[in-house]
Amino acid sequence: DGGITQSPKYLFRKEGQNVTLSCEQNLNHDAMYWYRQDPGQGLRLIYYSQIVNDFQKGDIAEGYSVSREKKESFPLTVTSAQKNPTAFYLCASSLGEGDSYEQYFGPGTRLTVT
Amino acid sequence: GNSVTQMEGPVTLSEEAFLTINCTYTATGYPSLFWYVQYPGEGLQLLLKATKADDKGSNKGFEATYRKETTSFHLEKGSVQVSDSAVYFCALRSSSASKIIFGSGTRLSIRP
């Protein structure tokens, strides 16, 4: 059963700690994405990766870092430099760069930093 | 640059009412257009898509037609159900970019 998994579903951290959110896909997709969603708002792109060992900053990359060492994995680290990290984080993947390729989303991780 | 504008919510309707959620876009070239749905506490799911002008995407009773002349992709459903309560996102992906641009979302609530 192909899909995208994100773990954990809920994550709690103290301010000043780095935290890494997991995203794994078994769809054999080349491209992967991280979005942030705040209450009542749309999605904002943090980072994306089109191929292994390559990634680009999205619209709100400050305070975040990523790696893409394997095709199926794209972990996101929320660093202590991110001033307002509490949010719902969504990972997505797509088959490639063609304009008809839709993105498939994971179930999300809700991060709360206190 | 590319952008998507969708009607602000929340939208509240009674069961079996007709639904329209407006979406207009700005893009160069001929983008593909999408509607995604997000149920409470979950990720987004693709609802329907259209890849060229005059295409009609449809799924689960929802429809949207790609109108190049009005740069619109309005979502419609003839008879909504309580289970349709969710947030709906209009989105586009242009051939010149690998990113998908999302609208801000429209929250739909259906009362029995």
Side-chain angles (χ1 to χ4, degrees):
Chain A
D1 211 8
I4 301 177
T5 56
Q6 291 185 244
S7 60
K9 190 166 178 65
Y10 299 96
L11 192 53
F12 298 89
R13 280 294 182 271
K14 295 289 188 187
E15 197 173 315
Q17 293 179 333
N18 291 356
V19 58
T20 297
L21 281 60
S22 165
C23 177
E24 304 278 331
Q25 54 99 358
N26 61 2
L27 300 168
N28 200 33
H29 285 174
D30 287 313
M32 298 186 74
Y33 309 80
W34 273 107
Y35 293 91
R36 170 184 171 133
Q37 187 178 27
D38 293 285
Q41 297 190 30
L43 280 66
R44 292 186 288 170
L45 182 64
I46 304 172
Y47 267 99
Y48 63 104
S49 167
Q50 296 170 355
I51 55 171
V52 174
N53 293 323
D54 187 43
F55 47 83
Q56 288 81 39
K57 292 182 179 180
D59 302 317
I60 56 164
E62 186 175 349
Y64 299 97
S65 66
V66 293
S67 63
R68 187 84 188 279
E69 296 176 4
K70 298 185 296 183
K71 187 175 185 177
E72 59 270 23
S73 178
F74 190 42
L76 173 74
T77 296
V78 184
T79 75
S80 56
Q82 168 50 234
K83 293 192 173 16
N84 188 16
T86 294
F88 188 49
Y89 290 88
L90 288 162
C91 178
S93 70
S94 68
L95 188 59
E97 296 183 36
D99 60 357
S100 64
Y101 291 136
E102 65 266 30
Q103 290 183 1
Y104 294 79
F105 283 80
T109 292
R110 187 167 299 281
L111 173 65
T112 302
V113 177
T114 57
Chain B
N2 298 335
S3 67
V4 175
T5 302
Q6 58 182 108
M7 66 188 287
E8 291 190 19
V11 173
T12 303
L13 296 172
S14 296
E15 204 166 20
E16 299 184 2
F18 183 85
L19 168 71
T20 300
I21 300 178
N22 290 338
C23 172
T24 57
Y25 68 90
T26 302
T28 54
Y30 299 90
S32 291
L33 302 173
F34 308 90
W35 275 101
Y36 284 85
V37 58
Q38 183 179 33
Y39 297 102
E42 298 182 10
L44 277 68
Q45 302 173 25
L46 179 69
L47 181 59
L48 53 85
K49 72 175 185 180
T51 58
K52 60 182 187 296
D54 299 325
D55 266 3
K56 178 186 282 188
S58 61
N59 186 26
K60 300 181 181 179
F62 290 90
E63 293 183 339
T65 300
Y66 189 141
R67 301 283 188 204
K68 182 75 175 166
E69 63 277 13
T70 54
T71 62
S72 65
F73 192 55
H74 305 321
L75 182 68
E76 296 182 336
K77 186 175 185 182
S79 176
V80 293
Q81 306 300 313
V82 172
S83 56
D84 294 327
S85 298
V87 180
Y88 292 81
F89 292 92
C90 184
L92 73 82
R93 185 172 193 173
S94 76
S95 53
S96 61
S98 57
K99 300 188 295 183
I100 288 186
I101 308 297
F102 288 89
S104 58
T106 302
R107 182 174 299 278
L108 174 66
S109 296
I110 308 299
R111 50 174 185 255

